[in-house]
Coordinates of all heavy atoms in Angstrom, one line a residue:
M26 N -1.4 -30.4 -17.1 CA -2.1 -29.2 -16.5 C -1.5 -28.0 -17.3 O -0.4 -27.8 -17.4 CB -1.7 -29.1 -15.0 CG -2.2 -30.1 -14.2 SD -3.6 -29.5 -13.2 CE -4.6 -30.9 -13.1
G27 N -2.5 -27.2 -17.7 CA -2.2 -25.9 -18.5 C -2.1 -24.8 -17.5 O -1.9 -24.9 -16.3
K28 N -2.1 -23.6 -18.1 CA -2.0 -22.4 -17.3 C -3.3 -22.2 -16.5 O -4.3 -22.5 -17.0 CB -1.8 -21.1 -18.2 CG -0.4 -21.0 -18.7 CD -0.4 -19.8 -19.5 CE 1.0 -19.6 -20.1 NZ 1.1 -18.3 -20.9
P29 N -3.2 -21.6 -15.3 CA -4.6 -21.2 -14.6 C -5.3 -20.2 -15.4 O -4.7 -19.4 -16.2 CB -4.0 -20.7 -13.2 CG -2.6 -20.5 -13.3 CD -2.1 -21.2 -14.5
P30 N -6.6 -20.1 -15.1 CA -7.3 -19.1 -15.9 C -6.8 -17.7 -15.6 O -6.3 -17.4 -14.5 CB -8.8 -19.3 -15.3 CG -8.8 -20.6 -14.7 CD -7.4 -21.0 -14.3
L31 N -7.0 -16.8 -16.5 CA -6.5 -15.4 -16.4 C -7.0 -14.7 -15.2 O -6.3 -14.0 -14.5 CB -6.9 -14.7 -17.6 CG -6.3 -13.3 -17.8 CD1 -4.7 -13.4 -17.8 CD2 -6.7 -12.7 -19.1
S32 N -8.2 -15.0 -14.8 CA -8.8 -14.3 -13.6 C -8.0 -14.7 -12.3 O -7.8 -13.8 -11.4 CB -10.2 -14.6 -13.4 OG -10.4 -16.0 -13.2
I33 N -7.6 -16.0 -12.2 CA -6.8 -16.3 -11.1 C -5.4 -15.7 -11.2 O -4.8 -15.2 -10.1 CB -6.6 -17.9 -11.0 CG1 -8.0 -18.5 -10.8 CG2 -5.6 -18.3 -10.0 CD1 -8.0 -19.9 -10.8
M34 N -4.8 -15.7 -12.3 CA -3.5 -15.0 -12.5 C -3.5 -13.5 -12.1 O -2.7 -13.0 -11.4 CB -3.0 -15.2 -13.9 CG -2.6 -16.6 -14.2 SD -2.0 -16.8 -15.9 CE -0.5 -16.0 -15.8
G35 N -4.6 -12.8 -12.5 CA -4.9 -11.4 -12.2 C -5.0 -11.3 -10.7 O -4.5 -10.3 -10.1
L36 N -5.6 -12.1 -10.0 CA -5.9 -12.1 -8.5 C -4.5 -12.3 -7.8 O -4.2 -11.5 -6.9 CB -6.8 -13.2 -8.0 CG -7.1 -13.1 -6.6 CD1 -7.8 -12.0 -6.1 CD2 -8.0 -14.3 -6.2
V37 N -3.8 -13.2 -8.3 CA -2.4 -13.4 -7.7 C -1.5 -12.1 -8.0 O -0.9 -11.7 -6.9 CB -1.7 -14.7 -8.3 CG1 -0.2 -14.8 -7.9 CG2 -2.5 -15.9 -7.9
R38 N -1.6 -11.6 -9.1 CA -0.8 -10.4 -9.3 C -1.3 -9.1 -8.5 O -0.4 -8.5 -7.9 CB -1.0 -10.0 -10.9 CG -0.1 -8.9 -11.3 CD -0.1 -8.6 -12.8 NE -1.5 -8.3 -13.2 CZ -2.2 -9.0 -14.2 NH1 -1.5 -10.0 -14.7 NH2 -3.4 -8.8 -14.5
D39 N -2.6 -9.1 -8.2 CA -3.1 -8.1 -7.4 C -2.7 -8.2 -5.9 O -2.3 -7.3 -5.2 CB -4.6 -7.9 -7.5 CG -5.0 -7.3 -8.9 OD1 -4.2 -6.8 -9.6 OD2 -6.2 -7.5 -9.1
R40 N -2.7 -9.5 -5.5 CA -2.3 -9.7 -4.2 C -0.8 -9.5 -3.9 O -0.4 -9.0 -2.8 CB -2.6 -11.2 -3.7 CG -4.1 -11.5 -3.7 CD -4.7 -10.7 -2.5 NE -6.2 -10.9 -2.5 CZ -7.0 -10.3 -1.7 NH1 -6.4 -9.3 -0.8 NH2 -8.2 -10.5 -1.8
R41 N 0.0 -9.8 -5.0 CA 1.4 -9.6 -4.9 C 1.7 -8.1 -4.8 O 2.5 -7.6 -4.0 CB 2.1 -10.1 -6.1 CG 3.6 -10.1 -6.0 CD 4.3 -10.8 -7.2 NE 3.7 -12.0 -7.6 CZ 3.6 -12.4 -8.8 NH1 4.1 -11.7 -9.9 NH2 3.1 -13.6 -9.1
L42 N 0.9 -7.3 -5.7 CA 1.1 -5.9 -5.6 C 0.7 -5.3 -4.1 O 1.4 -4.5 -3.6 CB 0.2 -5.1 -6.7 CG 0.1 -3.7 -6.6 CD1 1.5 -3.1 -6.8 CD2 -0.9 -3.2 -7.7
E43 N -0.4 -5.9 -3.6 CA -0.8 -5.4 -2.3 C 0.2 -5.7 -1.2 O 0.5 -4.9 -0.4 CB -2.1 -6.1 -1.9 CG -2.8 -5.7 -0.7 CD -4.0 -6.5 -0.4 OE1 -4.9 -6.7 -1.2 OE2 -4.2 -6.9 0.9
A44 N 0.7 -7.0 -1.3 CA 1.8 -7.3 -0.3 C 3.1 -6.3 -0.5 O 3.6 -6.0 0.5 CB 2.2 -8.8 -0.5
H45 N 3.4 -6.1 -1.7 CA 4.6 -5.2 -2.0 C 4.4 -3.8 -1.5 O 5.2 -3.2 -0.8 CB 4.9 -5.2 -3.5 CG 6.2 -4.6 -3.8 ND1 7.4 -5.2 -3.4 CD2 6.6 -3.4 -4.3 CE1 8.4 -4.5 -3.8 NE2 7.9 -3.4 -4.4
L46 N 3.1 -3.3 -1.7 CA 2.7 -2.1 -1.3 C 2.7 -1.9 0.2 O 3.2 -0.9 0.8 CB 1.2 -1.7 -1.8 CG 0.6 -0.4 -1.4 CD1 1.5 0.7 -2.0 CD2 -0.8 -0.3 -2.0
L47 N 2.2 -2.9 1.0 CA 2.2 -2.9 2.4 C 3.6 -2.9 2.9 O 3.9 -2.3 4.0 CB 1.4 -4.1 3.0 CG -0.2 -3.9 2.8 CD1 -0.8 -5.3 3.2 CD2 -0.7 -2.7 3.5
A48 N 4.5 -3.6 2.3 CA 6.0 -3.6 2.7 C 6.5 -2.3 2.5 O 7.4 -1.8 3.4 CB 6.7 -4.7 1.9
L49 N 6.2 -1.6 1.4 CA 6.7 -0.3 1.2 C 6.2 0.8 2.2 O 6.8 1.7 2.5 CB 6.3 0.3 -0.2 CG 7.1 -0.3 -1.4 CD1 6.5 0.2 -2.7 CD2 8.6 0.0 -1.3
L50 N 5.0 0.5 2.7 CA 4.4 1.5 3.7 C 4.8 1.3 5.1 O 4.0 1.8 5.9 CB 2.8 1.4 3.5 CG 2.3 1.9 2.2 CD1 0.8 1.7 2.1 CD2 2.6 3.4 2.1
R51 N 5.8 0.5 5.3 CA 6.4 0.5 6.7 C 6.8 1.9 7.1 O 6.9 2.2 8.3 CB 7.5 -0.5 6.8 CG 7.0 -2.0 6.6 CD 8.1 -3.0 6.8 NE 7.7 -4.3 6.5 CZ 8.4 -5.1 5.9 NH1 9.5 -4.9 5.4 NH2 7.8 -6.4 5.7
E52 N 7.2 2.6 6.1 CA 7.5 4.0 6.3 C 6.5 4.9 5.5 O 6.0 4.5 4.4 CB 8.9 4.4 5.7 CG 10.1 3.6 6.3 CD 11.3 3.9 5.6 OE1 11.4 4.9 4.8 OE2 12.3 3.3 6.0
A53 N 6.1 6.0 6.1 CA 5.1 6.9 5.5 C 5.5 7.3 4.1 O 6.7 7.8 4.0 CB 4.8 8.1 6.4
K54 N 4.7 7.3 3.1 CA 5.0 7.7 1.8 C 3.8 8.4 1.1 O 2.7 8.1 1.4 CB 5.4 6.5 0.9 CG 6.6 5.8 1.4 CD 7.2 4.9 0.3 CE 8.3 4.0 0.9 NZ 9.4 4.7 1.2
T55 N 4.1 9.3 0.2 CA 3.1 10.0 -0.6 C 2.7 9.1 -1.8 O 3.3 8.2 -2.1 CB 3.6 11.3 -1.1 OG1 4.6 11.1 -2.0 CG2 4.0 12.3 0.0
L56 N 1.5 9.5 -2.3 CA 1.0 8.7 -3.5 C 2.1 8.7 -4.7 O 2.4 7.7 -5.3 CB -0.3 9.3 -4.0 CG -0.9 8.7 -5.2 CD1 -1.3 7.2 -4.9 CD2 -2.1 9.4 -5.6
E57 N 2.7 9.8 -4.8 CA 3.7 10.0 -5.9 C 4.9 9.1 -5.7 O 5.5 8.6 -6.5 CB 4.2 11.5 -6.0 CG 3.1 12.4 -6.7 CD 1.9 12.8 -5.7 OE1 2.1 12.7 -4.5 OE2 0.9 13.1 -6.2
D58 N 5.4 9.1 -4.3 CA 6.5 8.3 -4.0 C 6.2 6.7 -4.3 O 7.0 6.1 -4.8 CB 6.9 8.4 -2.5 CG 7.4 9.8 -2.1 OD1 7.9 10.5 -3.0 OD2 7.4 10.1 -1.0
L59 N 5.0 6.4 -3.9 CA 4.6 5.0 -4.1 C 4.5 4.7 -5.5 O 5.0 3.6 -6.0 CB 3.3 4.7 -3.4 CG 3.2 4.7 -1.9 CD1 1.8 4.7 -1.4 CD2 4.0 3.5 -1.4
H60 N 3.9 5.5 -6.3 CA 3.8 5.4 -7.7 C 5.1 5.1 -8.4 O 5.4 4.2 -9.2 CB 3.0 6.5 -8.4 CG 2.7 6.2 -9.8 ND1 3.2 6.9 -10.8 CD2 1.8 5.4 -10.3 CE1 2.8 6.5 -12.0 NE2 1.9 5.5 -11.7
A61 N 6.1 6.0 -8.0 CA 7.4 6.0 -8.6 C 8.1 4.6 -8.3 O 8.8 4.0 -9.1 CB 8.2 7.2 -8.2
Q62 N 8.0 4.2 -7.0 CA 8.7 3.0 -6.6 C 8.0 1.7 -7.2 O 8.7 0.7 -7.4 CB 8.6 2.9 -5.1 CG 9.6 3.9 -4.4 CD 9.7 3.7 -2.9 OE1 8.7 3.5 -2.2 NE2 10.9 3.8 -2.4
L63 N 6.8 1.8 -7.5 CA 6.0 0.6 -8.0 C 6.2 0.5 -9.5 O 5.7 -0.5 -10.1 CB 4.6 0.5 -7.6 CG 4.4 0.3 -6.1 CD1 2.9 0.6 -5.6 CD2 4.7 -1.0 -5.7
Q64 N 6.7 1.4 -10.2 CA 6.8 1.4 -11.6 C 7.6 0.2 -12.1 O 7.3 -0.3 -13.2 CB 7.4 2.7 -12.2 CG 6.3 3.8 -12.2 CD 5.1 3.5 -13.0 OE1 5.3 3.2 -14.2 NE2 4.0 3.6 -12.4
S65 N 8.6 -0.2 -11.4 CA 9.4 -1.4 -11.9 C 8.6 -2.7 -11.7 O 8.8 -3.6 -12.5 CB 10.7 -1.3 -11.0 OG 10.4 -1.6 -9.7
L66 N 7.8 -2.7 -10.7 CA 7.0 -3.9 -10.5 C 5.8 -4.0 -11.5 O 5.6 -5.0 -12.0 CB 6.4 -4.0 -9.1 CG 5.6 -5.2 -8.7 CD1 6.4 -6.4 -8.7 CD2 5.0 -5.0 -7.3
R67 N 5.2 -2.9 -11.6 CA 4.0 -2.8 -12.5 C 4.1 -1.6 -13.4 O 3.6 -0.5 -13.1 CB 2.7 -2.7 -11.7 CG 2.3 -3.9 -10.8 CD 1.5 -4.9 -11.6 NE 0.2 -4.5 -12.1 CZ -0.9 -4.7 -11.4 NH1 -0.9 -5.2 -10.2 NH2 -2.0 -4.3 -12.0
P68 N 4.8 -1.6 -14.6 CA 5.1 -0.5 -15.4 C 3.8 0.3 -15.8 O 3.8 1.5 -16.1 CB 5.8 -1.0 -16.5 CG 6.4 -2.3 -16.1 CD 5.4 -2.8 -15.1
G69 N 2.7 -0.5 -16.1 CA 1.4 0.2 -16.5 C 0.6 0.7 -15.4 O -0.5 1.1 -15.6
L70 N 1.0 0.7 -14.2 CA 0.1 1.1 -13.1 C -0.2 2.6 -13.1 O 0.9 3.4 -13.2 CB 0.9 0.7 -11.7 CG 0.1 1.0 -10.5 CD1 -1.2 0.1 -10.4 CD2 1.0 0.7 -9.2
R71 N -1.3 2.9 -13.1 CA -1.8 4.3 -13.1 C -2.0 4.8 -11.6 O -2.3 4.0 -10.8 CB -3.0 4.5 -13.8 CG -2.9 4.2 -15.3 CD -4.2 4.5 -16.1 NE -5.2 4.9 -15.4 CZ -6.5 4.6 -15.5 NH1 -6.9 3.8 -16.5 NH2 -7.5 5.2 -14.8
K72 N -1.8 6.1 -11.4 CA -2.0 6.6 -10.1 C -3.3 6.4 -9.6 O -3.6 6.2 -8.4 CB -1.6 8.1 -10.0 CG -0.1 8.4 -10.0 CD 0.0 9.9 -9.8 CE 1.6 10.2 -10.1 NZ 1.8 11.6 -9.9
A73 N -4.3 6.5 -10.5 CA -5.8 6.3 -10.1 C -6.0 4.9 -9.6 O -6.7 4.7 -8.5 CB -6.7 6.6 -11.3
T74 N -5.4 3.9 -10.2 CA -5.6 2.5 -9.8 C -4.9 2.3 -8.5 O -5.4 1.7 -7.6 CB -4.9 1.6 -10.9 OG1 -5.5 1.8 -12.1 CG2 -5.1 0.2 -10.5
L75 N -3.6 3.0 -8.3 CA -2.9 2.8 -7.0 C -3.8 3.5 -5.9 O -3.9 2.9 -4.8 CB -1.6 3.5 -7.1 CG -0.8 3.6 -5.9 CD1 -0.5 2.1 -5.3 CD2 0.6 4.3 -6.2
F76 N -4.3 4.6 -6.2 CA -5.1 5.4 -5.2 C -6.4 4.5 -4.8 O -6.7 4.3 -3.6 CB -5.5 6.7 -5.7 CG -6.3 7.5 -4.7 CD1 -5.7 8.1 -3.6 CD2 -7.7 7.7 -4.8 CE1 -6.3 8.8 -2.7 CE2 -8.3 8.4 -3.8 CZ -7.7 9.0 -2.7
A77 N -7.0 3.9 -5.8 CA -8.1 3.0 -5.5 C -7.8 1.8 -4.6 O -8.5 1.5 -3.6 CB -8.8 2.5 -6.8
L78 N -6.6 1.2 -4.8 CA -6.1 0.2 -4.0 C -5.8 0.7 -2.6 O -6.2 0.0 -1.5 CB -4.8 -0.5 -4.5 CG -4.2 -1.5 -3.8 CD1 -5.0 -2.7 -3.5 CD2 -2.9 -2.0 -4.4
L79 N -5.2 1.8 -2.4 CA -5.0 2.4 -1.1 C -6.3 2.7 -0.3 O -6.3 2.5 0.8 CB -4.2 3.7 -1.3 CG -2.7 3.5 -1.7 CD1 -2.1 4.7 -2.2 CD2 -1.9 2.9 -0.5
V80 N -7.3 3.2 -1.1 CA -8.6 3.4 -0.4 C -9.2 2.1 0.1 O -9.7 2.1 1.2 CB -9.5 4.1 -1.4 CG1 -11.0 4.2 -0.9 CG2 -9.0 5.5 -1.7
R81 N -9.1 1.1 -0.7 CA -9.6 -0.2 -0.3 C -8.9 -0.7 0.9 O -9.5 -1.2 1.9 CB -9.5 -1.2 -1.4 CG -10.1 -2.5 -0.9 CD -10.1 -3.5 -2.0 NE -8.8 -3.9 -2.6 CZ -8.0 -4.8 -2.0 NH1 -8.2 -5.4 -0.9 NH2 -6.8 -5.0 -2.6
L82 N -7.6 -0.6 1.0 CA -6.7 -1.1 2.1 C -7.1 -0.2 3.3 O -7.1 -0.7 4.5 CB -5.3 -1.0 1.8 CG -4.8 -2.0 0.7 CD1 -3.4 -1.7 0.3 CD2 -5.0 -3.4 1.2
R83 N -7.4 1.1 3.1 CA -7.7 1.9 4.2 C -9.1 1.5 4.8 O -9.2 1.5 6.1 CB -7.9 3.4 3.7 CG -8.2 4.3 4.9 CD -8.1 5.7 4.4 NE -8.4 6.7 5.6 CZ -9.6 7.2 5.7 NH1 -10.6 7.0 4.9 NH2 -9.9 8.0 6.7
R84 N -10.1 1.2 4.0 CA -11.4 0.7 4.5 C -11.2 -0.6 5.3 O -11.9 -0.9 6.2 CB -12.3 0.5 3.3 CG -12.9 1.7 2.8 CD -13.9 1.5 1.8 NE -14.2 2.7 1.0 CZ -14.4 2.6 -0.3 NH1 -14.4 1.6 -1.0 NH2 -14.7 3.8 -0.9
E85 N -10.2 -1.5 4.7 CA -10.0 -2.7 5.4 C -9.1 -2.6 6.8 O -8.9 -3.5 7.5 CB -9.2 -3.7 4.5 CG -10.1 -4.1 3.3 CD -9.4 -4.9 2.3 OE1 -8.2 -5.2 2.5 OE2 -10.0 -5.3 1.4
G86 N -8.7 -1.3 7.0 CA -7.9 -1.1 8.2 C -6.4 -1.4 8.1 O -5.8 -1.5 9.1
K87 N -5.9 -1.7 6.9 CA -4.5 -2.1 6.7 C -3.6 -0.8 6.5 O -2.3 -0.9 6.7 CB -4.4 -3.0 5.5 CG -5.1 -4.4 5.7 CD -5.0 -5.2 4.7 CE -5.7 -6.5 4.8 NZ -5.7 -7.4 3.6
V88 N -4.2 0.2 6.1 CA -3.5 1.5 5.7 C -4.1 2.7 6.4 O -5.3 2.7 6.5 CB -3.4 1.7 4.2 CG1 -2.8 3.0 3.8 CG2 -2.6 0.6 3.5
V89 N -3.3 3.6 6.8 CA -3.8 4.9 7.4 C -3.2 6.0 6.6 O -2.0 6.0 6.1 CB -3.3 5.0 9.0 CG1 -3.7 6.3 9.5 CG2 -3.7 3.8 9.7
F90 N -4.0 7.1 6.4 CA -3.6 8.3 5.7 C -3.4 9.4 6.8 O -4.4 9.8 7.5 CB -4.7 8.7 4.7 CG -4.2 9.9 3.9 CD1 -3.4 9.7 2.9 CD2 -4.8 11.1 4.1 CE1 -3.0 10.8 2.1 CE2 -4.4 12.2 3.4 CZ -3.5 12.1 2.4
R91 N -2.2 9.9 7.0 CA -1.9 10.9 8.0 C -1.0 11.9 7.3 O 0.0 11.6 6.7 CB -1.1 10.4 9.1 CG -2.0 9.6 10.1 CD -1.1 9.3 11.4 NE -1.6 8.1 11.9 CZ -0.9 7.0 12.2 NH1 0.5 7.1 12.0 NH2 -1.4 6.0 12.6
Q92 N -1.3 13.2 7.5 CA -0.5 14.3 7.1 C 0.0 14.2 5.6 O 1.1 14.4 5.3 CB 0.7 14.5 8.0 CG 0.3 14.6 9.5 CD 1.5 14.6 10.5 OE1 2.6 14.3 10.1 NE2 1.2 15.1 11.6
G93 N -1.0 13.8 4.8 CA -0.7 13.7 3.3 C 0.1 12.5 2.9 O 0.6 12.4 1.8
R94 N 0.3 11.5 3.9 CA 1.2 10.3 3.6 C 0.3 9.0 3.9 O -0.4 9.1 5.0 CB 2.5 10.4 4.3 CG 3.3 11.6 3.8 CD 4.7 11.5 4.6 NE 5.4 12.6 4.2 CZ 6.3 12.6 3.1 NH1 6.5 11.5 2.5 NH2 7.0 13.7 3.0
F95 N 0.6 8.0 3.2 CA 0.0 6.7 3.6 C 1.1 5.9 4.4 O 2.2 5.9 4.1 CB -0.3 5.9 2.3 CG -1.4 6.6 1.6 CD1 -1.2 7.4 0.5 CD2 -2.8 6.4 1.9 CE1 -2.1 8.0 -0.2 CE2 -3.8 6.8 1.1 CZ -3.5 7.7 0.0
V96 N 0.6 5.1 5.4 CA 1.4 4.3 6.1 C 0.6 3.0 6.5 O -0.6 3.1 6.7 CB 2.0 5.0 7.4 CG1 0.8 5.4 8.4 CG2 3.0 4.1 8.1
A97 N 1.4 1.8 6.5 CA 0.7 0.7 7.0 C 0.4 0.6 8.4 O 1.2 1.2 9.2 CB 1.5 -0.6 6.6
G98 N -0.7 0.1 8.8 CA -1.1 0.0 10.3 C -2.5 0.4 10.5 O -3.3 0.8 9.6
K99 N -3.0 0.2 11.7 CA -4.3 0.5 12.0 C -4.4 1.9 12.6 O -3.6 2.5 13.1 CB -4.8 -0.5 13.2 CG -4.6 -1.9 12.9 CD -5.9 -2.6 13.1 CE -5.8 -4.1 12.8 NZ -6.6 -4.4 11.7
A100 N -5.6 2.5 12.3 CA -5.9 3.9 12.8 C -6.0 3.9 14.3 O -6.7 3.0 14.9 CB -7.2 4.3 12.1
E101 N -5.3 4.8 14.9 CA -5.4 5.0 16.3 C -6.6 5.8 16.7 O -7.1 5.7 17.8 CB -4.2 5.7 16.8 CG -2.9 4.9 16.6 CD -1.7 5.8 16.5 OE1 -1.8 7.0 16.8 OE2 -0.6 5.2 16.3
D102 N -7.1 6.6 15.8 CA -8.3 7.5 16.0 C -9.2 7.3 14.9 O -8.9 7.1 13.7 CB -7.8 8.9 15.9 CG -8.8 9.9 16.2 OD1 -9.9 9.5 16.5 OD2 -8.4 11.1 16.1
S103 N -10.5 7.1 15.2 CA -11.6 6.8 14.3 C -11.8 8.0 13.3 O -12.4 7.9 12.3 CB -12.8 6.5 15.0 OG -13.3 7.7 15.7
N104 N -11.2 9.3 13.6 CA -11.4 10.4 12.8 C -10.3 10.5 11.8 O -10.2 11.6 11.1 CB -11.5 11.7 13.6 CG -12.8 11.7 14.4 OD1 -13.8 11.1 14.1 ND2 -12.7 12.3 15.6
V105 N -9.4 9.6 11.6 CA -8.2 9.6 10.7 C -8.8 9.5 9.3 O -9.5 8.7 8.9 CB -7.2 8.6 11.0 CG1 -6.1 8.7 9.9 CG2 -6.7 8.9 12.4

């Protein structure tokens, strides 16, 4: 058995990043804080890519944006 296809490896890497991000978001953090902390895990990660991931997680209800910071959890108010 050889290596799995690149697309599967990319998916695993993205899921790992998502899991790490959700763990970091147990405490509220700004985009800049998150980007700085994730640089060791993904040195080439751009803020725009990180923001896009945060937006997707917000749509899925896994992340909330409050007072300029992101935090893991469900929105208590639909206007958040």
Side-chain angles (χ1 to χ4, degrees):
M26 295 256 145
K28 289 184 178 180
L31 187 57
S32 61
I33 293 173
M34 292 178 69
L36 180 62
V37 169
R38 186 174 57 237
D39 290 345
R40 292 295 177 189
R41 188 179 314 148
L42 175 62
E43 181 180 321
H45 193 72
L46 181 59
L47 289 172
L49 287 173
L50 288 175
R51 289 182 188 143
E52 298 177 9
K54 297 195 185 300
T55 64
L56 179 64
E57 289 76 20
D58 292 340
L59 288 169
H60 187 252
Q62 288 185 319
L63 290 170
Q64 283 301 303
S65 62
L66 180 66
R67 296 274 298 267
L70 182 66
R71 295 181 4 214
K72 281 186 188 178
T74 305
L75 176 58
F76 185 74
L78 175 58
L79 288 164
V80 168
R81 181 176 61 80
L82 292 173
R83 182 174 179 261
R84 284 189 196 136
E85 293 174 0
K87 296 179 182 178
V88 171
V89 178
F90 184 75
R91 280 191 213 125
Q92 301 172 348
R94 297 180 183 270
F95 293 93
V96 65
K99 300 235 181 247
E101 298 160 0
D102 183 4
S103 61
N104 294 328
V105 174

